[in-house]
Structure formats: structure tokens, C-alpha cells
């Protein structure tokens, strides 16, 4: 019996020692893992320091990333903070990190100009995530390298001044609905951001999808509902998903992840396919963007542009597919809707604060329209010089995107330094920071259209639509719909800021572009312009 007890005691002791040994081994393993992860993280977060480039302190990086993921401030605010931090460091260029990804930030204007224009072939791509199985993501904004170059060349003729003039009547048609809504609200404040979003929705649906959705009078139609879904109500998980797709797209490529939901894809694909099929079957043509895309699909050139096809590209090679039409129509909706509405919103807000400027714009509008028998034409809009300055200053103070993303497509030696930006490194051009830098725009918080009286908006300090060969192809159309909306409103109504508007304005942290947070309410009353009609 004693032998058995001794044996059991021995086994218990052995078991205890074995467990203890296992715990010790596990603890050592955990400690080694933590140590190795720490070494790896330190290695990752010293990428720029090892290359002799200055970076903000780690506390700034952590605060910056946390604010983005938790929606504590807007994308523009975080970009501006980076710019100011770099400015305090007194550097011509610097580095930052997002998640585990190093980003290069050029600060020197000559360097930015070289990268975006002279040395563009090193920075062709935006580095945006796209998925061939996610057709709406394969549009011009996202496409890389040769795919972008070829499609850009095909689409460029659809955005010429002649084509904008052809579509001008579509824009004018949409102003009638806006005036009806405004007239009904005389005596009551209007949430101008919502009005302009519905106005631009009607224009884009008309021009890009060939349909009349009339969201001004029917704000709950499906296109307007889809627009709200795309731009509003973005959650922590959505922002995390989008941020990671931008910072480390390789993970998304590995798992073949889609960013755009199936419901959104089905809706926009179905609308475009049905409209294209109907037009082709019934031989219907319409002066809009969709018709131009259909011509490129079927002929490889536009009906009135025999010079489109060069010796380098045959008509057959110049054709586009139905999937490409769908993607570009979606881009038209995605990029054009909120940016133009936002620009118009900020412009009316600033003019509501500056009565003298508002009166000056209105006087110019009335003066020009009188020369055109009271009709707003494409040529008349082109003669409104002060209106152009006002819109230009609005885009300076509130650029649609606070920064321009790029990715290095081949190794690049930064001029005047020993630094080589390796292929695959991401680059951020700080547009918002430059636009609000007092070294380039004295008293930058002041709204001053006279800054652009000398026509200096082609300088690299002004980049609301990008710079170099990859500037926004839809710039003309975006400006056109913004100005048409402003003319329709300013010639008919006088505006003041309503007390319901929360000031100072803040940027919406849920949206990448610089949309205003919350509602922007304006008071309005009729102008005495009975002799000026569209």
C-alpha cells in the first residue's frame, strides 16, 4: 500500500513539474513573441528614419490614426494637422505612417510640381484598391498604369468644351425643379446642402444615365436614396475597411475583397444596361454623357469627331466595353454628386456672410443675362468672370479632396537629395494644407475672390482638381453644374445664414471629401429680377 502511495505522490509531483515546465515554456514563448513583435514594429516604424527623413513623434502618429478610425475628426482636419506638423519641423519633405504603411509627404512646391508633372511617369498611379470582380471599382479614378492611359485617351473627347456645350440644355432643365422647391420655402429656412445635392443628382442622372429622376420634387427616389447610402452613415467598420484598403491593399487582393456592396452594384449595373439596350434597340439618341459612351462602345469614335482616332489606335482598339460604361457612369455619380453640391453649399454660405460679394455676383449675373436676352447660355456663363473668381476661391478654401494620393511606380531619386523613394511607396500631396498656408495665400481663412483676379489658379499652389496629366477629367463638367446652380439661385434669391446653422462650420468625419458636418440652413427671399428668366 505504501508503495502505491509513493508512486501516486511521485506521479503528482511529476505532473506538477510537467505543468510548471509547460507554463514556463509558454511564458518564454509569449515573451519571445512579444519581443519579436516589438522589434518588428520598431523596424516598421523607423522606415523613414533609417533613410534620413524626419517624421512627427510617435504620439502624433497614434493620435492621428485613432482619430481617423474613431471618427473623432474629419479626413481634412487630419491632413491639415500633418501639414502643420511638417511645417513646424521646417522640412521640404517628410514621412508619416498609416497603420503599418509608410507614406512620403512632399512639402516643397517645386518638388510637388516635378512629381506630378515633369516626373509623372514615376507617379502615374493613385494606388487605390480595385477589384476586377467588383466592376464599379474599375473606373478611371482607380485604374493603374497603361489601363488608365488607354481609357483616359478614349474618354478625353467626351469632356471637351464642345461636348459640355452639347449637354448644357440638360443642366438648364434641372434648374426649374430647384426654383419650385425654393419658391415653396419662401419665408422658411432651407437646408441648402440637401437642395443642391438633389439638384446635382438630377443633373448627373440625366447626363450619365439618360433618365429623369426629379429628386428635387421627389427626394426619396431611388437615385437620391443610393446617393445618401454612398456618402452618409459611414460607420467605424466602414472607415476601417476603407482605410485598410488604401493603406494595405495587398490583403484585400489576397482575399479578393469587394468594397462596393452587391446591392449598389446590381442597381447601377441594371440601370445602365437597361438604358443602353433600350437606346440601341430603338435607335434613340440623346445629348448626354451616356450617349457619348455608347458611341465609343459601338464605333470607337464620336459621331462628330473624325479626328479622334489616330494612327496609334484603331477604331476597334478605341472601343469601350459595356462594363467600362457602367464603371464610368458610376464614377460620374460617385465623384460628381457630392463634390459639386459641397462646392455650391460652401459658396452660398460664404456669400451669405459677405453681402457685398453676393450683390456683386448678382449684378454681374443680371448684366450678362441681359446681353443674352435673359437666357442663360453656355457662352453667357463663360462671361461671368467674378462668378468664376468666387467659385475658384471657394475651391481654394474648401477643396473637394484634402489631399492627392499617389504611389511610386518605379524607384525615384528625390532631386537635390540622396533619398530614393522605392517602388510601391505611397505618397500624399497635402492640397488642403497648401491651400490654407499663409505663405502662399495671406490670411488664408479669409474668403477673398480677388485673390484670383490675376488668373493665377494654374499655379501648383492651387490643386482642387489635381495637377499634371492625372488631373480630374470631369473638371469642366463639375464647374459647369456648380455655376449653373449658383446662377439659378443667386439671380432669383437673396441669402443670409439662418441661426439654425451651427457655426463655426466643421467637416463631416464620415466622408472623405470636405462636406460640411450637419445641416447648413440659409434664409432666402425673392429678388426683383422679373425681366431675367431662363
Amino acid at each position: 500500500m505504501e508503495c502505491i502511495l509513493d508512486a501516486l505522490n511521485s506521479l503528482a509531483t511529476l505532473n506538477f513539474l510537467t505543468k510548471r515546465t509547460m507554463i514556463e515554456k509558454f511564458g518564454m514563448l509569449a515573451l519571445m513573441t512579444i519581443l519579436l513583435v516589438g522589434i518588428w514594429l520598431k523596424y516598421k516604424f523607423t522606415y523613414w528614419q533609417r533613410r534620413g527623413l524626419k517624421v512627427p513623434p510617435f504620439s502624433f502618429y497614434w493620435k492621428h490614426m485613432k482619430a481617423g478610425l474613431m471618427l473623432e475628426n474629419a479626413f481634412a482636419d487630419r491632413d491639415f494637422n500633418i501639414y502643420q506638423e511638417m511645417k513646424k519641423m521646417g522640412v521640404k519633405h517628410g514621412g508619416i505612417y498609416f497603420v503599418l504603411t509608410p507614406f512620403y509627404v512632399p512639402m516643397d512646391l517645386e518638388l510637388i510640381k516635378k512629381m506630378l508633372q515633369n516626373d509623372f511617369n514615376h507617379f502615374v498611379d493613385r494606388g487605390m484598391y480595385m477589384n476586377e470582380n467588383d466592376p464599379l471599382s474599375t473606373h478611371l479614378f482607380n485604374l493603374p498604369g497603361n489601363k488608365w492611359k488607354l481609357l483616359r485617351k478614349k474618354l478625353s473627347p467626351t469632356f471637351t468644351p464642345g461636348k459640355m456645350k452639347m449637354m448644357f440644355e440638360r443642366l438648364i432643365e434641372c434648374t426649374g425643379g430647384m426654383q419650385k422647391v425654393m419658391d415653396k420655402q419662401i419665408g422658411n429656412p432651407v437646408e441648402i446642402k440637401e437642395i443642391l445635392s438633389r439638384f446635382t443628382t438630377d443633373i448627373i442622372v440625366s447626363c450619365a444615365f439618360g433618365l429623369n429622376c426629379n429628386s428635387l420634387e421627389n427626394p426619396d427616389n431611388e437615385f437620391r436614396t443610393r446617393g445618401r447610402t454612398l456618402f452618409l452613415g459611414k460607420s467605424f467598420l466602414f472607415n476601417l475597411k476603407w482605410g485598410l484598403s488604401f493603406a494595405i491593399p495587398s490583403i484585400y487582393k489576397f482575399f479578393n475583397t469587394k468594397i462596393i456592396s452587391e446591392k449598389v452594384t446590381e442597381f447601377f449595373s441594371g440601370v445602365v444596361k437597361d438604358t443602353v439596350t433600350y437606346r440601341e434597340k430603338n435607335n434613340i439618341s440623346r445629348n448626354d454623357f451616356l450617349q457619348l459612351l455608347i458611341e465609343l462602345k459601338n464605333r470607337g469614335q464620336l459621331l462628330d469627331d473624325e479626328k479622334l482616332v489616330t494612327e496609334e489606335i484603331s477604331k476597334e482598339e478605341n472601343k469601350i466595353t459595356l462594363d467600362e460604361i457602367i464603371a464610368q457612369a458610376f464614377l460620374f455619380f460617385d465623384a460628381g454628386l457630392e463634390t459639386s453640391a459641397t462646392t455650391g453649399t460652401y459658396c452660398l454660405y460664404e456669400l451669405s456672410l459677405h453681402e457685398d460679394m453676393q450683390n456683386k455676383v448678382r449684378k454681374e449675373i443680371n448684366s450678362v443675362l441681359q446681353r443674352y436676352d435673359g437666357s442663360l447660355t453656355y457662352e453667357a456663363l463663360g462671361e461671368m468672370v467674378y462668378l468664376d473668381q468666387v467659385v475658384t476661391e471657394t475651391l481654394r478654401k474648401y477643396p473637394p479632396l484634402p489631399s492627392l494620393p499617389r504611389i511610386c511606380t518605379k524607384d525615384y531619386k528625390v532631386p537635390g537629395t540622396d533619398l530614393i523613394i522605392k517602388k510601391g511607396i505611397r505618397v500624399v500631396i497635402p492640397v488642403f494644407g497648401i491651400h490654407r498656408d499663409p505663405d502662399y495665400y495671406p490670411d488664408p481663412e479669409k474668403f477673398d475672390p480677388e485673390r484670383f483676379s490675376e488668373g493665377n489658379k494654374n499655379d501648383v499652389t492651387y490643386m482642387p482638381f489635381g495637377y499634371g496629366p492625372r488631373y480630374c477629367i470631369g473638371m469642366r463638367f463639375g464647374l459647369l453644374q456648380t455655376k449653373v446652380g449658383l446662377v439659378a439661385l443667386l439671380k432669383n434669391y437673396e441669402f443670409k445664414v439662418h441661426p439654425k446653422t451651427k457655426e463655426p462650420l466643421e467637416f463631416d468625419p464620415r466622408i472623405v471629401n470636405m462636406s460640411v458636418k450637419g445641416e447648413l440652413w440659409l434664409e432666402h427671399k425673392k429678388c426683383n429680377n422679373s425681366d431675367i428668366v431662363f
Side-chain angles (χ1 to χ4, degrees), residues 115-131:
M115 293 173 69
L116 295 182
Q117 186 166 296
N118 304 63
D119 300 327
F120 172 72
N121 60 329
H122 288 267
F123 303 96
V124 176
D125 298 348
R126 289 193 173 99
M128 307 302 291
Y129 173 71
M130 54 167 278
N131 186 332

Side-chain angles (χ1 to χ4, degrees), residues 245-283:
S245 75
F246 178 65
I248 41 179
S250 56
I251 293 178
Y252 284 72
K253 289 178 182 178
F254 180 80
F255 289 105
N256 197 27
T257 306
K258 292 183 179 182
I259 296 294
I260 302 172
S261 72
E262 291 290 344
K263 288 185 178 180
V264 171
T265 299
E266 288 174 8
F267 173 74
F268 284 101
S269 298
V271 168
V272 174
K273 287 178 181 177
D274 290 347
T275 306
V276 170
T277 300
Y278 180 78
R279 287 193 188 184
E280 292 179 338
K281 184 177 179 179
N282 296 281
N283 197 28

Side-chain angles (χ1 to χ4, degrees), residues 72-203:
E72 293 175 357
N73 58 13
F75 195 85
D77 297 320
R78 297 191 295 276
D79 272 19
F80 190 61
N81 290 341
I82 291 171
Y83 185 83
Q84 288 186 310
E85 189 70 22
M86 296 284 188
K87 195 82 175 178
K88 282 194 298 184
M89 290 161 56
V91 297
K92 291 188 175 182
H93 57 178
I96 59 168
Y97 304 94
F98 180 70
V99 190
L100 298 175
T101 304
F103 282 72
Y104 176 74
V105 185
M107 298 285 288
D108 180 72
L109 293 183
E110 284 303 312
L111 175 57
I112 291 172
K113 187 174 182 179
K114 273 183 171 294
M115 293 173 69
L116 295 182
Q117 186 166 296
N118 304 63
D119 300 327
F120 172 72
N121 60 329
H122 288 267
F123 303 96
V124 176
D125 298 348
R126 289 193 173 99
M128 307 302 291
Y129 173 71
M130 54 167 278
N131 186 332
E132 296 291 349
N133 297 317
D134 191 3
L136 296 190
S137 72
T138 59
H139 50 64
L140 192 65
F141 188 87
N142 288 349
L143 286 176
N146 290 329
K147 290 183 179 180
W148 166 78
K149 289 179 182 178
L150 182 58
L151 188 58
R152 173 87 179 206
K153 191 166 188 176
K154 293 176 181 180
L155 294 179
S156 289
T158 66
F159 287 97
T160 61
K163 299 302 181 293
M164 297 300 100
K165 185 176 180 180
M166 178 195 78
M167 286 185 267
F168 194 74
E169 192 59 36
R170 303 270 84 82
L171 277 68
I172 298 299
E173 290 172 357
C174 296
T175 61
M178 183 162 62
Q179 188 167 340
K180 287 181 183 178
V181 172
M182 296 296 289
D183 285 345
K184 287 180 182 178
Q185 294 296 320
I186 292 290
N188 297 311
V190 293
E191 207 289 277
I192 198 65
K193 183 174 68 171
E194 172 64 17
I195 299 294
L196 288 172
S197 292
R198 285 151 62 183
F199 171 66
T200 53
T201 298
D202 285 354
I203 288 177

Side-chain angles (χ1 to χ4, degrees), residues 325-377:
I325 291 180
I326 293 169
Q328 304 333 302
F330 175 74
L331 174 62
F332 211 66
F333 185 85
D334 189 27
L337 192 159
E338 190 69 17
T339 52
S340 292
T342 295
T343 301
T345 297
Y346 284 126
C347 190
L348 286 174
Y349 170 74
E350 291 288 354
L351 291 177
S352 297
L353 295 175
H354 301 88
E355 188 177 355
D356 56 333
M357 296 179 191
Q358 185 179 158
N359 290 334
K360 185 175 180 178
V361 176
R362 187 175 295 109
K363 183 178 179 181
E364 179 185 65
I365 289 170
N366 291 336
S367 175
V368 172
L369 291 181
Q370 284 175 349
R371 295 200 297 270
Y372 285 85
D373 299 321
S375 298
L376 179 59
T377 66

